[in-house]
Amino acid sequence: MEKVLLIIIALSGLSAASSHAERQYHFVSEAKSMSEAQRYCREKHTDLATVDSMEVVKLLNDMAGQHNQSAWIGLHDDRDTWRWSMSDPSFYGPGETEFRPWGTGGLNNGHNDQCTYLDSYGTGAWLDYDCNGHLRAICFDVTGPNAAFVPIYSILTWTEAQSYCREHHTDLASVRNKAENRQIFELVSEGFYWIGLYRDAWKWSDGSNSSFKYWAEKKPNLSALKVCVTADFDNFGKWDYLDCGVERPFICYGPVVPVSMQVIKVRVQKPNGVDLNDPAFLAAMLVEAKKNLRAQGLDDNVQLAWRKQPDGQVFHKEEEEKRDEL
């Protein structure tokens, strides 16, 4: 009769933990679309991976190892989330934060068109535009529910206009309804004027507000309407983008799960002519052991391993008297 110790280790496949973020990342090699990957991560773990530091970039590169391909992370381009620079909810009545008199042609919808201006040459319609463009601006001073609009004729970027308005007035103008839009149109001279409506198009799946970016060279440079982001492990994990419907492996994250280990004793009646310490025999026994344990409800993330004795052997012949004592 031979005896051996079988170690049961509770681990999770191809995974690694980030020390500073207290998150465990999981590389899933099965290719899925972005929405399918997101659904899987939310069901099995927490969400698609948020990559918020170079520590996490290095960890994912190390974890991906031989997987020299791109994999979805949780970043995507959300072009429908518009908000006002003046964020106090008490200033807006029902539906007033959604007032949008866009121009006849609608939105340009380019990724870099993330700020809004009012066109006073025509009817006071709004258009989206690159925030780095240089235009005039409209500030406002808020007193209770009322607002007094103030045109600024200096040529500024949207961010410069926001800073100026916050320093000298209340904020860049929020325009809550047709009456206020008409009021501004009649107040200003002809031109293009920044107002306070903007969007931050890049969003993390879990709602994180990390500003960390790790784009590949000359990225992003977008034209597609709906894009999602991959980490390209052929290029040091740098970020690229694809149509969200393309199927790729993906990376999830969840809370760090402590590793637990259980050791059990196994006795085996040695078959004639079989070396119990032969690596092929040991591997085959582990496969059968895991099948049996899975049939009893064992989680697929559990791993099995043999414990070797000090002499490097797994099995030793059990002396009769010691066996009788056990």
Side-chain angles (χ1 to χ4, degrees), residues 107-154:
L107 298 169
N108 293 322
N109 222 12
H111 178 77
N112 292 327
D113 298 324
Q114 297 184 10
C115 295
T116 305
Y117 70 83
L118 181 148
D119 176 9
S120 69
Y121 284 110
T123 60
W126 300 357
L127 293 97
D128 57 335
Y129 193 55
D130 188 335
C131 303
N132 294 315
H134 289 77
L135 305 176
R136 300 171 179 179
I138 303 166
C139 303
F140 70 163
D141 292 306
V142 176
T143 306
N146 301 314
F149 298 102
V150 182
I152 306 300
Y153 293 102
S154 300

Side-chain angles (χ1 to χ4, degrees), residues 75-115:
L75 194 63
H76 64 283
D77 181 36
D78 181 0
R79 306 193 186 187
D80 299 322
T81 307
W82 291 93
R83 67 195 70 179
W84 289 103
S85 180
M86 167 73 169
S87 59
D88 183 357
S90 66
F91 180 67
Y92 303 94
E96 289 186 336
T97 57
E98 288 78 41
F99 176 66
R100 307 279 190 272
W102 297 116
T104 304
L107 298 169
N108 293 322
N109 222 12
H111 178 77
N112 292 327
D113 298 324
Q114 297 184 10
C115 295

Side-chain angles (χ1 to χ4, degrees), residues 234-247:
D234 252 344
N235 190 22
F236 310 105
K238 288 184 179 289
W239 300 353
D240 202 345
Y241 53 84
L242 293 170
D243 183 285
C244 300
V246 174
E247 294 186 343

Side-chain angles (χ1 to χ4, degrees), residues 29-301:
S29 58
E30 182 182 357
K32 294 181 180 292
S33 69
M34 176 70 156
S35 60
E36 292 170 342
Q38 181 188 60
R39 187 179 309 114
Y40 177 98
C41 290
R42 289 177 174 177
E43 289 176 356
K44 303 289 186 180
H45 302 286
T46 297
D47 213 319
L48 277 162
T50 293
V51 183
D52 55 8
S53 71
M54 284 305 300
E55 177 193 345
V56 175
V57 169
K58 182 179 185 305
L59 184 149
L60 297 184
N61 273 291
D62 292 344
M63 184 180 71
Q66 74 276 15
H67 295 272
N68 293 324
Q69 56 185 311
S70 59
W72 293 125
I73 57 176
L75 194 63
H76 64 283
D77 181 36
D78 181 0
R79 306 193 186 187
D80 299 322
T81 307
W82 291 93
R83 67 195 70 179
W84 289 103
S85 180
M86 167 73 169
S87 59
D88 183 357
S90 66
F91 180 67
Y92 303 94
E96 289 186 336
T97 57
E98 288 78 41
F99 176 66
R100 307 279 190 272
W102 297 116
T104 304
L107 298 169
N108 293 322
N109 222 12
H111 178 77
N112 292 327
D113 298 324
Q114 297 184 10
C115 295
T116 305
Y117 70 83
L118 181 148
D119 176 9
S120 69
Y121 284 110
T123 60
W126 300 357
L127 293 97
D128 57 335
Y129 193 55
D130 188 335
C131 303
N132 294 315
H134 289 77
L135 305 176
R136 300 171 179 179
I138 303 166
C139 303
F140 70 163
D141 292 306
V142 176
T143 306
N146 301 314
F149 298 102
V150 182
I152 306 300
Y153 293 102
S154 300
I155 304 301
L156 305 168
T157 67
W158 189 90
T159 303
E160 291 170 343
Q162 182 191 51
S163 298
Y164 179 90
C165 291
R166 288 178 172 180
E167 180 179 353
H168 298 282
H169 302 279
T170 299
D171 210 325
L172 263 171
S174 294
V175 187
R176 299 173 291 184
N177 49 54
K178 290 182 180 179
E180 289 186 342
N181 202 58
R182 187 68 188 175
Q183 181 184 346
I184 294 171
F185 178 71
E186 294 175 350
L187 174 67
V188 301
S189 60
E190 289 185 339
F192 300 137
Y193 294 82
W194 291 126
I195 58 175
L197 193 65
Y198 75 101
R199 62 183 172 186
D200 180 12
W202 291 115
K203 297 289 189 302
W204 288 103
S205 179
D206 66 353
S208 298
N209 59 2
S210 171
S211 59
F212 176 80
K213 298 291 186 289
Y214 194 56
W215 291 109
E217 186 178 357
K218 297 182 180 179
K219 304 287 183 176
N221 183 17
L222 307 179
S223 57
L225 292 181
K226 183 65 174 175
V227 296
C228 298
V229 177
T230 61
D232 185 356
F233 296 110
D234 252 344
N235 190 22
F236 310 105
K238 288 184 179 289
W239 300 353
D240 202 345
Y241 53 84
L242 293 170
D243 183 285
C244 300
V246 174
E247 294 186 343
R248 283 290 184 271
F250 53 96
I251 303 168
C252 307
Y253 83 88
V256 173
V257 178
V259 175
S260 62
M261 183 171 69
Q262 180 181 355
V263 179
I264 60 175
K265 291 182 179 181
V266 177
R267 286 192 178 92
V268 178
Q269 185 73 42
K270 180 181 179 181
N272 291 332
V274 175
D275 179 4
L276 296 183
N277 288 299
D278 178 67
F281 178 80
L282 292 172
M285 285 194 65
L286 283 183
V287 171
E288 290 302 315
K290 190 160 187 178
K291 285 182 180 178
N292 292 333
L293 291 171
R294 187 183 293 116
Q296 299 174 38
L298 178 74
D299 190 285
D300 283 336
N301 289 330

Side-chain angles (χ1 to χ4, degrees), residues 304-317:
L304 303 180
W306 296 113
R307 172 178 283 183
K308 292 184 178 181
Q309 303 299 324
D311 61 0
Q313 299 296 304
V314 173
F315 282 97
H316 285 86
K317 186 174 181 180

